[in-house]
Amino acid sequence: MSQQYRSRPLGSDVALSEAYDTALLDLDGVVYAGGHAIVHAVESLGSAREGGMHLAYVTNNALRTPDAVAEHLTELGVPADATDVITSAQAVARLMADQLPSGTRVLVVGGEGLRVALRERGLVPVESADDDPVAVVQGFGGPDLPWGRFAEAAYAISRGAVWFASNTDLTIPGARGIAPGNGAAVEVVRIATGAEPQVAGKPLPPMHRETVLRTGAKRPLVVGDRLDTDIEGAFNGGVDSLLVLTGVTDAAQLIAAEPRYRPTYVDRDLRGLLTEQPEVSEDGDGFRCGGWTAGVRGEVLVLDGEGDAIDGLRALCAAAWTHAGEGACGLDARKAVARLDL
């Protein structure tokens, strides 16, 4: 972009699966939720792959190993190998190995994904603060992670261990709704110790570095459902992004987004990979997309017209982002969003 901030979603006159060589896909909230495939995900990814797009799965969830993730994807109908999966466990393990010698003992607060990633980098997982760990690494451990694991982390950090975290996502989408994520667990240890962890996962550079190293992508498109990890990570890495509305981000949050959270493209679900993206154009004092026109009247966002609700959302984003400039949009968008029924 020639400007310092994105003022509207972009259009594309070819399908995104043709415009980009690799889709860097988030998993939770994009491909599946609570272990079950999200509607249209399996068919859309199959069509994109058959068309020549490389699919890579990039997740902040450090619980499972790449092998386990690939097996799950294959069971859902999305064939994948372990080499197609990049996790924040791998990113944090590389970050740690860059600072710690091989054979260093590391207290693990999390799941098997972290342990496998550490061993891959020559680090030794241990379970207790009394095992003399030099470092602590914390990643999502699932709903059954014992509270005592946080105490072990606090003991080790208080004794001088260096603290790392795979990611700091406060929430994670599931089949029954939104649940606390690893970021919430990191806050528990932060409060207990007053320490600050080194973090590897999206949206930070270590995760982008890990992804590029493992995929070799030349024209990547980040595909995600979260503004503060997926989209911000793409922004930090200088690559384009597609936000899908199948996870944690809703229309109001997207409209209010400040520049680092504004995606290149917006679509309802992964079918957006297979289609052209409509242009959002200026229309008088407002913006038009499809059959919708959006603008600002006083301190209120307004929306007129009819048609595909996603086109209306694209128009609203253009009006809101242009009005907000380099800040976050504080305009009242409630009535406009309600018209879309997303």
Side-chain angles (χ1 to χ4, degrees), residues 236-320:
N236 290 340
V239 299
D240 289 346
S241 60
L242 166 66
L243 179 82
V244 292
L245 300 178
T246 49
V248 302
T249 299
D250 61 26
Q253 292 169 328
L254 176 60
I255 289 167
E258 59 185 88
R260 59 182 173 154
Y261 299 141
R262 297 173 187 170
T264 314
Y265 309 102
V266 179
D267 222 312
R268 183 177 278 103
D269 51 53
L270 284 177
R271 288 176 295 179
L273 285 174
L274 308 176
T275 62
E276 301 172 2
Q277 294 291 307
E279 181 182 358
V280 182
S281 58
E282 294 187 27
D283 185 19
D285 294 332
F287 295 87
R288 173 175 290 277
C289 186
W292 299 94
T293 301
V296 179
R297 295 177 192 163
E299 294 299 313
V300 178
L301 275 173
V302 294
L303 182 67
D304 298 306
E306 59 183 4
D308 188 336
I310 292 294
D311 286 342
L313 178 58
R314 293 175 178 125
L316 280 171
C317 285

Side-chain angles (χ1 to χ4, degrees), residues 146-201:
W147 186 260
R149 300 307 299 156
F150 303 142
E152 291 300 320
Y155 299 149
I157 293 166
S158 297
R159 296 173 189 174
V162 185
W163 184 23
F164 296 84
S166 64
N167 68 294
T168 52
D169 296 5
L170 291 174
T171 60
I172 187 169
R176 298 171 59 196
I178 304 299
N182 190 55
V186 166
E187 286 302 308
V188 171
V189 178
R190 191 200 309 269
I191 291 168
T193 63
E196 292 288 336
Q198 296 184 47
V199 184

